[in-house]
């Protein structure tokens, strides 16, 4: 990977499975990381970040809420002065039923989590 020293990267979905492969790559490349997610899961998955002052662990979990996202961005800018990279991997899947048997509530939740967070 390219040298990302001095760059600030937000990696959404940082406490999820996909992030376990992405966060270490960005960290090794030298990026300062902004990691929204379930704080306890983040520290379990990435214990080396617990006391790292060049990263921002955020207990932000509802990225479908514009106010929460705005606060995350403000916190990142306050700490680092800017944001250079967005890795938007937050998402989820409620598997099992065929689409025609999926409830509207489940459909809306999946759309919020997988589409609205990208917007």
């Amino acid at each position: 990977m390219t040298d990302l020293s001095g760059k600030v990267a937000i990696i959404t979905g940082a406490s999820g499975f996909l992030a376990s492969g992405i966060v270490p790559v960005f960290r090794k490349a030298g990026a300062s990381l902004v990691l929204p997610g379930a704080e306890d899961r983040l520290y379990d998955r990435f214990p080396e970040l617990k006391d790292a002052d060049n990263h921002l662990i955020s207990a932000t979990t509802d990225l479908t809420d514009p106010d929460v996202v705005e606060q995350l961005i403000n916190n990142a800018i306050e700490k680092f002065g800017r944001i250079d990279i967005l890795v938007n991997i937050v998402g989820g899947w409620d598997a099992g039923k065929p689409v025609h048997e999926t409830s509207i509530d489940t459909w809306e939740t999946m759309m919020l989590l997988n589409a609205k967070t990208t917007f």
Side-chain angles (χ1 to χ4, degrees):
M1 177 172 248
T2 305
D3 180 15
L4 297 177
S5 300
K7 301 293 183 183
V8 179
I10 295 179
I11 301 176
T12 67
S15 57
F17 178 74
L18 188 55
S20 62
I22 293 173
V23 169
V25 172
F26 275 78
R27 187 165 183 262
K28 185 176 180 180
S32 295
L33 304 175
V34 178
L35 304 174
E39 190 172 15
D40 57 335
R41 287 177 44 197
L42 285 167
Y43 287 133
D44 285 346
R45 192 162 294 201
F46 310 110
E48 70 277 8
L49 299 181
K50 184 134 181 112
D51 297 316
D53 63 352
N54 63 327
H55 304 295
L56 174 63
I57 301 293
S58 174
T60 301
T61 55
D62 187 1
L63 296 178
T64 66
D65 182 337
D67 293 332
V68 169
V69 174
E70 184 175 1
Q71 186 61 52
L72 172 68
I73 292 167
N74 290 340
N75 290 346
I77 291 172
E78 182 179 322
K79 181 168 178 87
F80 299 112
R82 68 185 192 291
I83 299 164
D84 302 299
I85 302 164
L86 170 63
V87 180
N88 195 35
I89 57 173
V90 66
W93 182 41
D94 189 350
K97 296 181 179 180
V99 172
H100 68 281
E101 294 177 8
T102 300
S103 73
I104 191 69
D105 289 339
T106 298
W107 179 263
E108 287 177 348
T109 298
M110 292 297 96
M111 292 305 291
L112 284 172
L113 185 58
N114 293 304
K116 185 178 178 182
T117 57
T118 300
F119 177 71

